[in-house]
Amino acid sequence: MSMIGNLYRCSEDDLARLDGDDPYALWELLDRDNPPPLSLEKDWHAIHALLVGAAGDDSGAAGFLLTGGREWHVSGGYGPPRIYDPAETRRIDEFLRDMRDDRFWSTFDASRFAAEDIYPRIWDEPEGELRAALVATFREMREFIAETAASGDLLIFEIA
């Protein structure tokens, strides 16, 4: 089974109206009333590794795919979704805004990714193809987060 990373956005007001006792209310809200999610497909872990490598550590905005925010109380899947408030979303956007493709890609090392078991475990493929795919997904993610930050919405990440 694949682990697919998805980014969502919704307003603070919508999230505040959810029934706190219903762990699945978040998915109903996102499916019903919000812009479509951005799927990072299986690239989420590689993107995380590249961002953390470019920043030099996994704290703060660089590591947002696996740290930060707050967890929504849902069990199952590959862990609870992470919800980033508008201020956190703006910090993530600011971190990503000026990151150019070369900096994003600068810490790629296929042998290190294989040794560290970075998902999706495709590090024997031609580097040019890997770069093209990961940079394209990174650009889409950067744009999605910029739009979310500009709207003042919450950013939500989950691995399904």
Side-chain angles (χ1 to χ4, degrees), residues 99-114:
M99 184 172 289
R100 299 293 166 243
D101 298 349
D102 288 342
R103 180 171 166 222
F104 170 72
W105 190 253
S106 67
T107 61
F108 178 76
D109 179 331
S111 59
R112 180 177 65 86
F113 274 37

Side-chain angles (χ1 to χ4, degrees), residues 92-143:
I92 295 165
D93 174 48
E94 289 167 5
F95 170 74
L96 297 174
R97 185 178 309 141
D98 295 326
M99 184 172 289
R100 299 293 166 243
D101 298 349
D102 288 342
R103 180 171 166 222
F104 170 72
W105 190 253
S106 67
T107 61
F108 178 76
D109 179 331
S111 59
R112 180 177 65 86
F113 274 37
E116 293 178 8
D117 202 27
I118 302 295
Y119 193 72
R121 302 179 192 105
I122 54 172
W123 311 120
D124 57 346
E125 293 185 14
E127 186 173 330
E129 292 175 19
L130 293 170
R131 179 183 172 134
L134 287 168
V135 166
T137 304
F138 167 70
R139 288 176 181 167
E140 289 179 63
M141 180 188 77
R142 185 175 56 200
E143 183 177 329

Side-chain angles (χ1 to χ4, degrees), residues 12 21 23 26 48 52 54-55 60 68 77-78 80 109 114 125 152 155 158-159:
E12 283 186 288
D21 293 328
L26 177 63
H48 168 78
V52 166
Y78 295 100
D109 179 331
E125 293 185 14
L155 179 69
E158 61 112 10
I159 303 168

Side-chain angles (χ1 to χ4, degrees), residues 21-107:
D21 293 328
D22 180 357
Y24 300 99
L26 177 63
W27 302 127
E28 293 169 12
L29 168 71
L30 294 174
D31 287 343
R32 181 183 67 234
D33 294 330
N34 288 281
L38 172 66
S39 178
L40 302 178
E41 298 293 333
K42 298 180 211 175
D43 295 341
W44 62 272
H45 197 209
I47 289 170
H48 168 78
L50 289 164
L51 290 173
V52 166
D57 69 58
D58 66 354
S59 64
F64 81 95
L65 289 173
L66 297 180
T67 63
R70 69 179 173 95
E71 295 180 349
W72 185 258
H73 55 280
V74 119
S75 59
Y78 295 100
R82 306 190 82 73
I83 300 174
Y84 306 91
D85 67 32
E88 291 170 303
T89 302
R90 283 190 300 276
R91 282 192 295 278
I92 295 165
D93 174 48
E94 289 167 5
F95 170 74
L96 297 174
R97 185 178 309 141
D98 295 326
M99 184 172 289
R100 299 293 166 243
D101 298 349
D102 288 342
R103 180 171 166 222
F104 170 72
W105 190 253
S106 67
T107 61

